[in-house]
Amino acid sequence: MAQSDTVDRILDAAEELFADRGFSETSLRMITSKAKVNLAAVNYHFGSKNALIHAVFARFLTPFSATLENAFDDLEARCEGEPPTLNQTLWALTESAVRMPQRNEKGISIFMRLLGLAYTQSQGHLRKFLEQEYSQPFSRFMRLLKEATPQLSSVDRYWRIQFMLGATAFTMSSSDALRDILQNKLGVETTVQEIAARLVPFLAAGMQAEDAMLVPPAHKSSVA
Amino acid sequence: MAQSDTVDRILDAAEELFADRGFSETSLRMITSKAKVNLAAVNYHFGSKNALIHAVFARFLTPFSATLENAFDDLEARCEGEPPTLNQTLWALTESAVRMPQRNEKGISIFMRLLGLAYTQSQGHLRKFLEQEYSQPFSRFMRLLKEATPQLSSVDRYWRIQFMLGATAFTMSSSDALRDILQNKLGVETTVQEIAARLVPFLAAGMQAEDAMLVPPAHKSSVA
DNA sequence: TTGCCGGTCAAACGTATGTTTCAAACAGAC
DNA sequence: GTCTGTTTGAAACATACGTTTGACCGGCAA
């Protein structure tokens, strides 16, 4: 009943509300009333709303980055010196995300949505916090990407990584809404795992597209 | 000096601040002080903050959707019954965006960033407004995409369109910052047109990737 | 001149926010 | 049981927000 209960209830409520509505649009009063906790508890246990946001991210990002490091270790061990392929690298990332122990069935999509928001919403303090705390697995991922696409120029690779990040962050940040639309329009249920499974081939194909052409194609030209 | 000046100054300031910081994080007082205009002017000329947001979008979205319809008309006319290819359709869109008359050099990236925010930030009123006002060119683009990718299932196509939107909105929305990073890291200058020229092949390749596999690949499997 | 009206201005309104305060309740050690 | 440090509770605080008000200005028609 002591600290851990209140702290966890606050984190649970905050996580869900942040994912639903964003950070600025979620007030401490919404959080504390959803958590059935006194308003002052947030500032008592966390110090400030920003610190609460950091705590929400740390709670899933710290174990996730550990899982991810292990996945990368395994991958590199299996490859015995050969650099892992692009597909392998992307799958190591998505599998680590999907296989994370989840607090409830919405765990993964909340997780993804929060990451998308972190990129999208211009919360300077959040970006600083994430860069300070989790730069290592991020850099390692970037290195693996580089080794998996030696045919790309640095500039091409740079931009294509941005495109991948964008497709991922954007899709995940609105994945609930997108799933709803899909269900209403086509009557199809979708899990986050399936979205990820659709996303990875898209990213891999885009990443390995023919060299970017710097002029529009002639009329009536075909693709491929 | 009369109405138009104040109205435009408010729109200019709001557009830039919204693109920089998001909607909820931008107060009317920030806007009016940047625009050097009295606080009450916003409510006088627009009625409310939400209506101002709508006006900001309408100012560039209305001419853009007209330009886009023309580009699609031209494209379909040139194709004489044959459905335009995916590459042609994507180029028609990007060219329309890039060729729009811009108020300043940041015009395009602000434009893109706002579109990304509209999708990402959970502003129900905005989504409703955009759907009501601009459903026609959007539906037409969707139809062209569908005809250009008959091999895809509806569900695959739906998700891949989301991935394209994400890569585009995300990249363009932060293209200023990304360009700066690129210049510092690699010493390369980049224009929005060049980014678009890199983006289109990435999108086309991703859109036409092999069917999504719903399980991770076996170890050490290659891509392509 | 007079009257009017679209536009601007400083000031205030009511509300919601994050944060702080301080007394009460609690737990565990002695 | 008493003491001590920690956690909760209701209330208040200061601030920022979107919006409204009513006085004021300037041009223009009558």
Side-chain angles (χ1 to χ4, degrees):
Chain A
M1 186 44 157
Q3 164 174 349
S4 66
D5 194 50
T6 298
V7 166
D8 283 343
R9 286 226 303 278
I10 292 174
L11 285 174
D12 288 341
E15 184 178 83
E16 198 160 333
L17 286 170
F18 285 153
D20 276 356
R21 321 169 33 89
F23 305 111
S24 309
E25 293 83 358
T26 302
S27 71
L28 291 184
R29 284 166 177 82
M30 292 178 200
I31 294 171
T32 54
S33 81
K34 181 185 177 83
K36 296 196 170 66
V37 151
N38 187 273
L39 169 63
V42 169
N43 285 281
Y44 175 77
H45 286 289
F46 297 94
S48 69
K49 183 182 179 181
N50 280 354
L52 169 62
I53 297 176
H54 297 173
V56 166
F57 274 85
R59 184 167 66 150
F60 72 78
L61 225 40
T62 298
F64 171 67
S65 72
T67 302
L68 189 58
E69 294 276 13
N70 286 338
F72 286 158
D73 287 344
D74 287 355
L75 181 58
E76 295 199 297
R78 281 205 312 275
C79 292
E80 299 163 356
E82 289 286 306
T85 68
L86 176 60
N87 236 10
Q88 287 175 321
T89 304
L90 294 180
W91 273 113
L93 179 71
T94 52
E95 288 241 279
S96 298
V98 167
R99 294 242 174 109
M100 280 287 293
Q102 291 156 41
R103 271 174 297 283
N104 57 56
E105 75 283 352
K106 288 189 283 185
I108 264 282
S109 75
I110 288 184
F111 170 112
M112 290 295 182
R113 165 103 173 128
L114 286 176
L115 279 184
L117 287 181
Y119 243 96
T120 284
Q121 314 231 139
S122 67
Q123 303 266 351
H125 66 94
L126 220 194
R127 202 173 285 209
K128 231 171 264 177
F129 169 78
L130 295 176
E131 280 172 7
Q132 281 178 7
E133 299 291 321
Y134 303 103
S135 68
Q136 185 184 325
F138 185 76
S139 303
R140 187 170 179 187
F141 178 62
M142 288 300 174
R143 181 176 59 75
L144 287 171
L145 282 184
K146 181 171 183 177
E147 293 170 357
T149 56
Q151 78 280 11
L152 293 181
S153 71
S154 297
V155 179
D156 268 337
R157 186 185 307 112
Y158 173 87
W159 282 111
R160 291 184 182 188
I161 288 174
Q162 301 301 334
F163 302 155
M164 290 205 304
L165 276 179
T168 307
F170 179 92
T171 304
M172 293 310 180
S173 79
S174 42
S175 66
D176 273 349
L178 296 182
R179 268 213 307 278
D180 288 351
I181 294 171
L182 191 60
Q183 175 149 13
N184 290 342
K185 266 194 180 172
L186 304 173
V188 181
E189 299 264 10
T190 321
T191 67
V192 174
Q193 283 83 346
E194 285 172 20
I195 300 176
R198 294 182 192 282
L199 182 53
V200 168
F202 178 95
L203 298 180
M207 199 73 187
Q208 300 181 316
E210 290 287 300
D211 255 6
M213 53 193 109
L214 293 180
V215 266
H219 290 160
K220 301 208 69 172
S221 78
S222 159
V223 202
Chain B
M1 184 49 156
Q3 165 172 349
S4 64
D5 194 50
T6 297
V7 166
D8 283 343
R9 286 228 303 278
I10 292 174
L11 286 174
D12 288 340
E15 183 178 83
E16 199 161 332
L17 286 169
F18 286 153
D20 276 356
R21 324 169 31 92
F23 305 111
S24 308
E25 294 82 358
T26 301
S27 71
L28 290 184
R29 284 167 177 84
M30 291 180 202
I31 295 171
T32 53
S33 80
K34 181 184 176 84
K36 295 195 171 63
V37 150
N38 188 272
L39 170 62
V42 170
N43 285 280
Y44 176 78
H45 286 289
F46 298 93
S48 69
K49 182 181 179 180
N50 281 353
L52 170 62
I53 296 177
H54 297 173
V56 166
F57 275 85
R59 185 168 63 150
F60 72 77
L61 227 39
T62 299
F64 172 68
S65 72
T67 302
L68 190 59
E69 294 276 14
N70 287 339
F72 286 157
D73 287 344
D74 287 354
L75 181 59
E76 295 198 298
R78 282 206 312 274
C79 291
E80 299 163 356
E82 290 285 308
T85 67
L86 177 59
N87 237 9
Q88 287 174 322
T89 304
L90 295 180
W91 273 112
L93 179 69
T94 52
E95 291 239 282
S96 298
V98 167
R99 296 239 174 113
M100 279 287 291
Q102 292 157 39
R103 269 174 298 281
N104 56 55
E105 76 283 353
K106 289 189 286 186
I108 267 280
S109 73
I110 287 185
F111 169 112
M112 289 294 181
R113 166 103 172 126
L114 286 176
L115 279 184
L117 286 181
Y119 244 94
T120 283
Q121 313 232 141
S122 66
Q123 303 265 353
H125 67 97
L126 221 193
R127 201 173 287 208
K128 231 171 265 177
F129 169 78
L130 295 176
E131 280 171 7
Q132 282 177 6
E133 299 292 320
Y134 302 102
S135 67
Q136 184 184 326
F138 184 77
S139 302
R140 187 169 179 190
F141 178 62
M142 289 299 174
R143 180 177 59 74
L144 288 171
L145 282 183
K146 180 171 182 174
E147 293 170 358
T149 57
Q151 77 279 14
L152 292 181
S153 71
S154 297
V155 179
D156 268 337
R157 186 183 306 110
Y158 172 86
W159 282 111
R160 292 185 182 189
I161 288 173
Q162 301 302 333
F163 303 154
M164 291 204 304
L165 275 180
T168 307
F170 178 90
T171 305
M172 293 306 186
S173 77
S174 41
S175 68
D176 274 348
L178 296 182
R179 268 212 305 278
D180 288 351
I181 293 172
L182 191 60
Q183 176 151 11
N184 291 341
K185 265 193 179 172
L186 306 171
V188 181
E189 299 263 10
T190 321
T191 68
V192 174
Q193 284 80 350
E194 285 173 19
I195 300 176
R198 295 180 191 282
L199 181 53
V200 168
F202 178 96
L203 299 180
M207 199 73 187
Q208 299 181 314
E210 290 288 298
D211 256 5
M213 52 194 109
L214 292 178
V215 266
H219 289 163
K220 303 209 66 175
S221 79
S222 160
V223 200

